[in-house]
Amino acid sequence: MTETVDNLLEPEVSETVDVVAGDDTSVVDEGDIAADYLEELLDLADLDGDIEITARAGRIYLAIEAEEPDALRTLSKPDTVAALQELTRLAVHARTGEFSRLILDIAGSRDARADELQRLVDRAVERIEAGAASAALPPMSSYERKLVHDLVGERGFTSESEGEGAERHTVIRRG
């Protein structure tokens, strides 16, 4: 029987991470377009934030950081980051005609979410070790499922994604 691991953990804000600009020209153009879009959004919301652009393996990573720890608290919630990431991808697509796979981090939200996913995997593994045949995690993005698959593999267990669309989730089983 599959046990469900509910979203019992509150998202937390972590320290911001310094990033440096990469040198792939077409990717940096994508990053500049995305940064311009996000700067306008921050201005409209009357929020202060610094945007750093990194290009790694052909993918843009944008990090928004602020000097005040709580300045970006509302924007750094996982659902908000995901929505802003999609809006930013659409803005880039509208300007370039190309699909964007950029990743957005606001006030260390990606690291905080990775820590939360680690705890979810730990709880799921505990349930399996206590006798459950498998444990299903809540639905999450493909990026988050990839992180979970990596974490599960490191623990010696197996995982696979199941479901469709917004209900796609990860199921963990003994290795």
Side-chain angles (χ1 to χ4, degrees):
M1 179 169 152
T2 300
E3 286 193 37
T4 302
V5 178
D6 295 322
N7 241 348
L8 301 173
L9 305 170
E10 290 292 319
E12 54 189 59
V13 178
S14 71
E15 302 274 328
T16 57
V17 180
D18 291 330
V19 228
V20 291
D23 51 40
D24 183 323
T25 306
S26 64
V27 173
V28 171
D29 290 343
E30 177 184 335
D32 288 339
I33 293 166
D36 289 345
Y37 175 80
L38 291 166
E39 281 177 18
E40 286 182 39
L41 179 88
L42 290 172
D43 286 344
L44 287 170
D46 197 27
L47 295 170
D48 291 324
D50 297 320
I51 300 173
E52 301 282 343
I53 305 169
T54 301
R56 291 183 292 213
R59 182 175 258 188
I60 286 293
Y61 291 80
L62 293 133
I64 302 176
E65 303 170 357
E67 289 183 26
E68 290 289 321
D70 290 338
L72 301 172
R73 183 179 207 102
T74 301
L75 294 181
S76 67
K77 296 180 189 233
D79 289 342
T80 306
V81 173
L84 290 173
Q85 178 175 282
E86 285 307 309
L87 289 171
T88 306
R89 286 177 173 178
L90 288 171
V92 170
H93 182 264
R95 291 270 312 271
T96 65
E98 300 286 326
F99 174 74
S100 174
R101 294 181 29 212
L102 68 83
I103 299 293
L104 178 61
D105 178 46
I106 300 175
S109 60
R110 292 286 171 188
D111 289 339
R113 182 64 175 154
D115 291 345
E116 183 179 354
L117 293 173
Q118 178 66 60
R119 290 190 299 274
L120 285 172
V121 167
D122 290 346
R123 292 188 67 157
V125 166
E126 287 172 10
R127 289 183 179 182
I128 294 169
E129 288 175 339
S134 63
L137 300 182
M140 57 188 69
S141 71
S142 60
Y143 177 81
E144 292 173 335
R145 288 193 314 275
K146 166 70 169 106
L147 292 177
V148 166
H149 291 307
D150 292 345
L151 293 168
V152 168
E154 290 171 7
R155 299 282 303 268
F157 288 76
T158 62
S159 62
E160 61 185 328
S161 294
E162 295 181 359
E164 297 295 325
E167 294 303 311
R168 195 139 174 90
H169 61 280
T170 306
V171 177
I172 301 171
R173 294 182 176 81
R174 218 173 260 292

